[in-house]
Amino acid sequence: MKDISSPPYLDQMRYRLLRLMWLGIISVAWVIPVEAQTQPPNIMLIMGDDLGWYDMETTGNPDIKTPHLASLVRESLRFQNMFTSTAMCSPTRQQLLTGLYPVRSGAYPNHSWVYDSVKSLPHYFNEAGYRTALFGKTHFGPPSAFPFGHLQDEPLTKQTYQSIRNFIRQEPSQPFFMAITSHQPHVPWTKGDTTQYPSEKLSVPPYLIDTQETRRALSLYYAEISYLDDQVGRCLRMLEEASLSDNTIVIFTSEQGPQLPFGKWTCYDMGLKTSFLVRWPNHVSPNTSTEALAQYIDILPTLLEIIGQDPTTVQTGISDAFGNQELDGKSFREVLLGHSSHHRDYVYGVHTTRGIIRGSDSYPIRSVRSDKYLYIQNLNAEQAFSNIVIASDTLLYPSWLEKGETDQGACQRADFYQHRPSEELYDVVSDPYQIMNLASDHQYEAVKKSLKKELTAFMQQQGDSGEETELNALNRQAGYLKVHPQENNKPTTKE
């Protein structure tokens, strides 16, 4: 019998084993096609419209029926602290596509355009060999700044779904980026089955005042969310039918808060916080969540890094106040892959009321939020805050005023919506609906001072002059720029 413990024999065994392993590795590499190893993922981005982060059955609101989104949550990483910086459609969408905050890009009021020189996601993805398309609501401009290969600006109909299906199957060997942007649940709330949501059985969220008109509005709004959920289900089925689910990153995002008091058009969490789900089979752990702070401007650099581009070298076509042309956003790929639980220390809010329907003439709002506190500056607090929500023909806000005649709490809450102090501070952990303003409490003075300094630095970097920027808002809207296109230029270097 041979002594297998002797060194010569062990050396021979090691040699044979290593040789077999090497040959095995070579043979495996030989049979895997190069395309399968290097094929970048497809990306399907599905976006709601004026959908609060809280308003899905899986994110905290048990009243709402969203089975398709519930299924997607179980397959995804859920961001619990994703924020847009402006709770209005046009600025929010252009943040996502450009990786820039709204004042710097030029798209800070509603119905606005970015500056002519600004580059966006389709520029970068077209250059990277992707097919690009957007189906649904656009709300961005000018067209030259968003050169999607296929653009179908219309509500999601039977014909739109057929176009989506055709696009998915068009060139199997070429990856695609596709945005599907629903019009739901934006007002008017006319879609969906309201019988699922009898108003008397609903729970009214603490940030709203419980009246019959509030309940009626919630019933209509919730029905439209269920309608959106059906649209999400259709889109996911089309991927499955094309056998592309495994190599497609699916992102669902809710855009911003609903058209309810303290939601849309504000810098509270119910305005700026957004639901954000990412499904990426074999890369992102399913049915997980992260507390990492992130913003819409971070989505573009993340996707660029995923497809093999270096987002830190991107030249955006527009400078910040210090002459830098880099993206404002930064990639959260490490968070997606589970390698990090932290992304940002702060997220920022920039709201412009000037130019919205029945909006205040000048009511600029700026905010900064950490994982613990939200600090808000109302830069023209002497003026009343106004928008279409308070109009008498909407009935909802007037019902609050009527209840306030006999209910002191309702009276104070309704009045606060229109008349706010110059500073607000909230503990977002103990007060998630931002109801108790701590700004005048001296024990939080150091917190307020620190956040104020952070907000000031952010505004300086963005070239944001506060009230002066607000007063120029009408000149940044699409209607004005179509008539005065020569005014949509901005120097790309520091003056």
Side-chain angles (χ1 to χ4, degrees):
M1 180 179 291
K2 293 183 180 180
D3 180 9
I4 60 173
S5 65
S6 64
Y9 194 85
L10 285 176
D11 288 342
Q12 292 176 25
M13 290 180 65
R14 291 192 188 102
Y15 171 78
R16 290 170 182 166
L17 180 59
L18 289 171
R19 186 169 181 272
L20 288 170
M21 290 175 65
W22 174 246
L23 290 173
I25 291 170
I26 292 175
S27 64
V28 170
W30 183 261
V31 298
I32 296 178
V34 173
E35 293 80 9
Q37 298 177 61
T38 60
Q39 178 74 23
N42 304 307
I43 301 166
M44 175 186 279
L45 170 71
I46 306 172
M47 178 183 280
D49 191 353
D50 287 6
L51 170 62
W53 69 272
Y54 174 82
D55 295 323
M56 301 185 327
E57 65 182 78
T58 51
T59 55
N61 194 330
D63 284 341
I64 305 177
K65 300 173 178 64
T66 52
H68 299 294
L69 284 166
S71 177
L72 185 61
V73 167
R74 290 190 292 270
E75 299 168 344
S76 303
L77 171 67
R78 174 189 163 210
F79 279 71
Q80 304 207 64
N81 285 305
M82 175 65 76
F83 293 82
T84 174
S85 64
T86 304
M88 296 186 293
C89 301
S90 180
T92 288
R93 291 158 191 268
Q94 295 181 101
Q95 288 168 55
L96 188 156
L97 292 171
T98 64
L100 302 173
Y101 285 112
V103 171
R104 180 181 168 195
S105 76
Y108 61 92
N110 209 14
H111 308 287
S112 55
W113 279 4
V114 300
Y115 292 107
D116 284 336
S117 60
V118 170
K119 297 181 71 176
S120 69
L121 184 148
H123 283 107
Y124 308 124
F125 273 72
N126 291 341
E127 292 169 5
Y130 270 69
R131 294 184 295 126
T132 58
L134 186 145
F135 301 90
K137 185 174 182 177
T138 54
H139 233 44
F140 52 62
S144 60
F146 301 92
F148 282 97
H150 182 96
L151 188 63
Q152 203 160 325
D153 183 4
E154 61 183 26
L156 301 182
T157 63
K158 183 178 180 180
Q159 290 74 24
T160 315
Y161 288 123
Q162 186 57 51
S163 296
I164 294 170
R165 184 176 290 106
N166 292 342
F167 181 83
I168 288 173
R169 297 172 178 269
Q170 184 179 340
E171 294 289 344
S173 62
Q174 187 180 8
F176 63 76
F177 171 88
M178 173 172 47
I180 303 171
T181 53
S182 173
H183 285 65
Q184 276 67 53
H186 194 290
V187 295
W189 296 318
T190 57
K191 305 288 187 182
D193 179 11
T194 55
T195 63
Q196 296 183 88
Y197 302 105
S199 59
E200 68 277 6
K201 294 184 178 180
L202 299 177
S203 301
V204 177
Y207 73 98
L208 302 174
I209 296 175
D210 189 350
T211 67
Q212 281 299 109
E213 289 302 328
T214 300
R215 288 175 172 273
R216 179 177 177 273
L218 290 176
S219 176
L220 296 169
Y221 169 54
Y222 291 173
E224 190 126 339
I225 294 172
S226 289
Y227 186 88
L228 167 67
D229 184 70
D230 288 338
Q231 295 176 328
V232 172
R234 280 189 176 219
C235 296
L236 297 179
R237 280 195 299 274
M238 283 189 274
L239 277 182
E240 293 170 7
E241 291 165 0
S243 300
L244 290 175
S245 295
D246 287 346
N247 194 41
T248 301
I249 298 172
V250 173
I251 298 171
F252 173 82
T253 183
S254 62
E255 194 197 43
Q256 67 218 3
Q259 190 167 306
L260 293 167
F262 300 101
K264 188 176 182 180
W265 302 307
T266 75
C267 286
Y268 304 111
D269 279 8
M270 295 311 298
L272 297 182
K273 195 171 182 178
T274 178
S275 177
F276 194 77
L277 311 174
V278 182
R279 184 182 80 181
W280 188 9
N282 303 315
H283 293 82
V284 169
S285 297
N287 202 24
T288 55
S289 65
T290 177
E291 298 281 351
L293 283 172
Q295 293 211 262
Y296 260 36
I297 58 164
D298 299 324
I299 297 170
L300 172 59
T302 302
L303 296 180
L304 287 173
E305 186 174 20
I306 285 172
I307 68 170
Q309 307 295 307
D310 183 353
T312 65
T313 64
V314 163
Q315 295 295 292
T316 62
I318 198 78
S319 299
D320 66 8
F322 305 114
N324 301 312
Q325 282 210 32
E326 292 83 2
L327 295 168
D328 287 327
K330 57 181 182 179
S331 171
F332 52 74
R333 180 177 177 272
E334 294 302 291
V335 174
L336 282 182
L337 299 180
H339 300 159
S340 177
S341 59
H342 178 269
H343 184 60
R344 287 185 171 274
D345 293 326
Y346 304 102
V347 292
Y348 305 93
V350 179
H351 178 72
T352 299
T353 305
R354 187 174 177 83
I356 65 175
I357 299 173
R358 305 191 193 185
S360 309
D361 185 56
S362 175
Y363 201 96
I365 309 172
R366 303 294 185 263
S367 69
V368 58
R369 186 194 190 279
S370 68
D371 59 357
K372 175 68 172 173
Y373 296 103
L374 168 64
Y375 172 71
I376 298 174
Q377 286 187 350
N378 300 301
L379 300 178
N380 194 6
E382 296 78 15
Q383 187 174 132
F385 177 75
S386 178
N387 57 51
I388 196 172
V389 170
I390 70 163
S392 59
D393 55 353
T394 65
L395 302 180
L396 189 153
Y397 186 73
S399 77
W400 287 21
L401 297 175
E402 182 180 355
K403 184 169 183 176
E405 294 174 1
T406 57
D407 183 323
Q408 185 177 7
C411 178
Q412 292 174 344
R413 185 65 174 163
D415 182 69
F416 192 80
Y417 186 57
Q418 284 199 271
H419 305 99
R420 306 175 202 167
S422 59
E423 292 183 300
E424 300 174 63
L425 179 68
Y426 300 95
D427 183 329
V428 297
V429 177
S430 62
D431 182 16
Y433 297 103
Q434 289 94 63
I435 294 173
M436 181 63 67
N437 183 13
L438 306 172
S440 59
D441 190 328
H442 293 299
Q443 68 175 325
Y444 294 98
E445 194 62 35
V447 172
K448 189 172 70 172
K449 183 178 179 180
S450 174
L451 291 175
K452 185 174 183 177
K453 180 180 179 181
E454 186 66 34
L455 182 58
T456 299
F458 165 73
M459 291 175 66
Q460 289 175 344
Q461 181 264 337
Q462 289 290 299
D464 182 356
S465 302
E467 288 191 68
E468 181 183 341
T469 297
E470 179 89 356
L471 292 174
N472 192 48
L474 299 183
N475 294 344
R476 295 301 317 146
Q477 292 190 307
Y480 178 85
L481 292 171
K482 287 177 182 177
V483 178
H484 305 89
Q486 72 282 0
E487 296 187 26
N488 199 31
N489 297 306
K490 183 179 181 181
T492 57
T493 57
K494 185 179 178 182
E495 295 180 336

